[in-house]
Amino acid sequence: MGISWLFDAMDVGIISFIVATLTVQWHLTPEQVGVFTSINSIGMVFGAAIAGYLADRFGRKSVLLWTLLIFSIASGLSALATSFIVLCILRFIAGVGLGGELPVASTLVSETVPAEERGRTVVLLESFWAGGWLAAALISYFVIPRYGWQAGFLIGAVPALYALYLRRSIEDPQRFVQSQAEKRPTLREQWLSVWQVEYRRSTVMLWILWFTVVFSYYGMFLWLPTVMVMKGFGLVKGFQYVLIMTLAQLPGYFTAAYAIEKFGRKFVLVLYLIFTALSAIWFGSAQTDTMLIAAGICLSFFNLGAWGGLYAYTPELYPTRVRSTGVGMATSFGRVGGVIAPLLVGILVARGVELQIIFYIFFVAILIGALAVFFLGTETKGRELEN
């Protein structure tokens, strides 16, 4: 499962580098950059909501494989795009597959691993995301300058082959198979079930948390290579610095994986989100090379550690019959933030708003997410998943 997560991250990460290249080659405006970086997330909004429901109805395995194929094929076809509009359409389709795969994969792993190892395992699964970003940075540094941005998208088609391996190596969790004996609810009943009294508080908390985390992540990291260029670094030099920052994601995941079973989900999320917010202010105001790299390292470390906790925490708050639906809906709402943030940054940059002010927006958003977990979240460390 970790390999599929790696390919997902590589696809998202490559976008942030390709858009910096296309801005130069296709003379994209800041508004177009915002649209391009958001269109993937628009697809993820639909993919997460639909795949979550389908996975509860037809099984985790089949939906996982189909979403993986959709995103891989659309990514490969993106290399053939000759216009901005066609490229955006293909990235939307890739986003539908990607948005559907992530919540289904985390749900499947959560339902397979024992309670005492569940949080750590899901965070370590999420750590493959850092490997994907690292691969994206390496491809962008060594491959794209030599072979063009199309090569990055062609590499993104490789997961289609990996789906053939997954088809034989994974099965639906037993707790899901057993739950299939129950009467299957309608689509409306399934989506309304996460708003029942016993789950309403958790749903509100998760929707706020997912929105603020995704909003800040996609607003900051998809613009990161472009921001480096805006701060006066050349394209290749900017890619090199982002590669250094990306390396900090791995220890962020590993420390979160340790702390999440030692101190609990709420502790990890609140602590890492607060330090992410502080790092955002630091990065936005950094002027020298050293300060910029140091702030970027902290931003990567704490933000991606929080992401690991987020994926571990979310499936634990719902019972098996609606778990994938609950995760998918929270993820889908969060992806709306991933749509808004890159567009907002594009608009603000076009109007000459200082980067420091833009990063203050992310500071406030991340703190709202941390407060939602602190006041509305319930601790799930060591708790058996509800059937």
Side-chain angles (χ1 to χ4, degrees), residues 37-72:
T37 51
S38 291
I39 199 70
N40 208 54
S41 293
I42 294 175
M44 294 174 82
V45 171
F46 293 96
I50 296 170
Y53 166 74
L54 293 176
D56 275 335
R57 190 169 181 85
F58 301 109
R60 284 50 165 142
K61 175 183 174 180
S62 59
V63 175
L64 178 67
L65 294 179
W66 276 109
T67 53
L68 182 60
L69 284 173
I70 290 171
F71 122 77
S72 302

Side-chain angles (χ1 to χ4, degrees), residues 228 231 233 241 245 283 286 288-297:
M228 299 301 291
K231 282 183 173 285
F233 301 100
Y241 283 172
M245 297 173 193
F283 184 85
T288 66
D289 290 17
T290 303
M291 295 293 282
L292 197 65
I293 293 174
I297 286 173

Side-chain angles (χ1 to χ4, degrees), residues 167-200:
R167 185 172 180 270
R168 294 177 174 272
S169 63
I170 63 172
E171 297 295 339
D172 281 317
Q174 280 301 308
R175 65 174 65 246
F176 169 76
V177 175
Q178 294 167 1
S179 72
Q180 290 303 93
E182 303 174 10
K183 179 184 176 182
R184 292 183 178 182
T186 64
L187 176 62
R188 181 175 180 274
E189 290 172 339
Q190 192 79 342
W191 282 353
L192 289 177
S193 62
V194 302
W195 290 102
Q196 292 175 357
V197 175
E198 60 266 44
Y199 309 123
R200 190 176 301 155

Side-chain angles (χ1 to χ4, degrees), residues 233-351:
F233 301 100
L235 200 60
V236 175
K237 191 70 171 179
F239 284 2
Q240 181 182 356
Y241 283 172
V242 174
L243 175 59
I244 295 172
M245 297 173 193
T246 302
L247 291 172
Q249 295 181 11
L250 284 169
Y253 282 123
F254 295 151
T255 54
Y258 169 78
I260 204 164
E261 296 296 359
K262 183 76 172 179
F263 304 109
R265 282 62 164 149
K266 287 185 64 175
F267 175 86
V268 167
L269 280 167
V270 172
L271 180 69
Y272 277 62
L273 286 173
I274 289 174
F275 277 104
T276 299
L278 295 174
S279 299
I281 292 181
W282 187 14
F283 184 85
S285 59
Q287 298 296 327
T288 66
D289 290 17
T290 303
M291 295 293 282
L292 197 65
I293 293 174
I297 286 173
C298 290
L299 192 64
S300 291
F301 180 96
F302 290 109
N303 187 268
L304 276 297
W307 267 99
L310 181 60
Y311 270 105
Y313 188 42
T314 306
E316 297 177 338
L317 296 172
Y318 295 106
T320 301
R321 62 184 174 82
V322 295
R323 182 167 296 119
S324 189
T325 300
V327 176
M329 289 180 65
T331 305
S332 178
F333 185 74
R335 298 301 173 189
V336 175
V339 174
I340 295 173
L343 287 171
L344 178 63
V345 174
I347 292 171
L348 294 177
V349 168
R351 295 185 177 180

Side-chain angles (χ1 to χ4, degrees), residues 6 9-10 14 17 129-141 243 246:
L6 183 148
M10 186 180 72
I14 282 177
F17 294 101
W129 188 269
W133 263 84
L134 181 59
L138 290 171
I139 291 167
S140 302
Y141 186 66
L243 175 59
T246 302

